Amino acid sequence: MTTLVHVTPGRVVKIPAGNRTRRLPDTGFNVNERDPFWAALLRNGDLTAGDVPAQAAASTTTPAKASTAATPATTQAASGSATK
């Protein structure tokens, strides 16, 4: 019995493929839900049954840039140098 599934947003699922592992795509794909491997991923919440939600699909195509600006106080505290 096959079911359409997708990787739960925020999770990365890697599957064994011979001598290597490969990452599952963010798009929907069919799996046999009675197979122990896929059933465990569904049970643990790594995979979600159903098609990829439009909101999750849009967020994976345009990743947000994180701000890496540090304030002088944060930089000083992190380096361990303090003025006495």
Side-chain angles (χ1 to χ4, degrees), residues 3-84:
T3 302
L4 181 66
V5 297
H6 66 276
V7 177
T8 303
R11 305 257 181 131
V12 175
V13 178
K14 294 182 180 179
I15 62 169
N19 293 337
R20 301 182 240 177
T21 59
R22 67 181 176 105
R23 185 174 179 219
L24 288 175
D26 293 331
T27 59
F29 54 96
N30 289 318
V31 298
N32 181 356
E33 66 184 26
R34 293 182 185 206
D35 182 276
F37 178 77
W38 299 113
L41 290 173
L42 282 163
R43 217 177 19 252
N44 294 336
D46 294 325
L47 296 179
T48 305
D51 201 11
V52 180
Q55 184 179 21
S59 67
T60 58
T61 58
T62 56
K65 293 185 178 180
S67 174
T68 58
T71 60
T74 306
T75 306
Q76 187 180 32
S79 66
S81 62
T83 310
K84 292 185 179 184

